[in-house]
Amino acid sequence: MMVAKLDGNLADFPKDIQTKIKKIFWKIEKWDINSLWILSNVMEIYSFDDLEGLVHSVFHNLVYFSDYEDETIKLLATITYNYLRICLTQVRVNEQEVKKASLYLRKIPSIPAVAYEKMKGDYILALHYSYYTTAEEIDKVLKKVREDGSRPGFFIGFKF
């Protein structure tokens, strides 16, 4: 699936394999680092309604951030950013889901490992809410990060 995703051919990825992947997540009793990594990379194959249920499971079951390693927090930030992006690209944006994702992203600790995901989340939220000046400021930082290949060791918190 990752090859199809990277090649931009996700639509051609076999439906039977997509179905198998989807079934795995409905059997998960406890989220772990492996299931979070897989979810962060397969979110696009789900219908929005099904994805909503999975993400809510993550949001409700993984809330004690002080108990998690940076790698887990990074996956939670990635999943949350991906979900937020998917929410905002729906034909009819579900503002309640946007708010849930935004709040969860804000609750994730502002550690260097997740600065990029938090900034990208703030960027797409700023665009969504028409805070163009804020979006421009965030975009400047994101461009700098992309240009030099580094990740900022800080989080710029933009409050809306």
Side-chain angles (χ1 to χ4, degrees), residues 22-39:
K22 290 177 184 179
K23 286 181 181 179
I24 291 170
F25 285 101
W26 294 120
K27 295 177 183 177
I28 289 178
E29 293 179 19
K30 185 177 179 189
W31 292 100
D32 63 19
I33 194 97
N34 295 319
S35 57
L36 291 172
W37 185 86
I38 294 168
L39 178 62

Side-chain angles (χ1 to χ4, degrees), residues 10-146:
L10 195 54
D12 297 334
F13 190 70
K15 300 293 182 207
D16 61 321
I17 297 175
Q18 288 185 33
T19 301
K20 288 178 184 177
I21 292 170
K22 290 177 184 179
K23 286 181 181 179
I24 291 170
F25 285 101
W26 294 120
K27 295 177 183 177
I28 289 178
E29 293 179 19
K30 185 177 179 189
W31 292 100
D32 63 19
I33 194 97
N34 295 319
S35 57
L36 291 172
W37 185 86
I38 294 168
L39 178 62
S40 74
N41 286 288
V42 300
M43 295 173 76
E44 294 89 353
I45 68 171
Y46 285 91
S47 70
F48 185 75
D49 290 339
D50 288 342
L51 183 60
E52 184 179 341
L54 284 174
V55 172
H56 284 194
S57 174
V58 171
F59 288 178
H60 292 292
N61 290 301
L62 297 159
V63 294
Y64 300 109
F65 300 111
S66 60
D67 293 346
Y68 311 135
E69 300 287 327
D70 286 0
E71 186 177 6
T72 301
I73 293 172
K74 173 84 169 168
L75 288 168
L76 293 173
T78 300
I79 289 166
T80 307
Y81 168 74
N82 289 345
Y83 184 62
L84 184 57
R85 184 180 42 79
I86 290 167
C87 285
L88 293 172
T89 57
Q90 297 300 299
V91 174
R92 294 187 60 172
V93 175
N94 183 329
E95 291 296 334
Q96 186 175 354
E97 290 306 304
V98 170
K99 185 176 181 178
K100 285 178 188 176
S102 174
L103 289 173
Y104 191 80
L105 190 60
R106 292 206 184 291
K107 288 179 185 177
I108 293 173
S110 296
I111 59 174
V114 298
Y116 193 65
E117 288 77 12
K118 289 188 113 180
M119 288 176 18
K120 289 189 310 183
D122 279 347
Y123 175 74
I124 62 175
L125 284 168
L127 289 177
H128 177 67
Y129 293 119
S130 302
Y131 298 134
Y132 298 117
T133 303
T134 301
E136 219 172 275
E137 291 174 26
I138 298 169
D139 189 47
K140 287 178 189 174
V141 175
L142 291 172
K143 281 181 181 174
K144 174 84 171 122
V145 169
R146 285 188 298 265

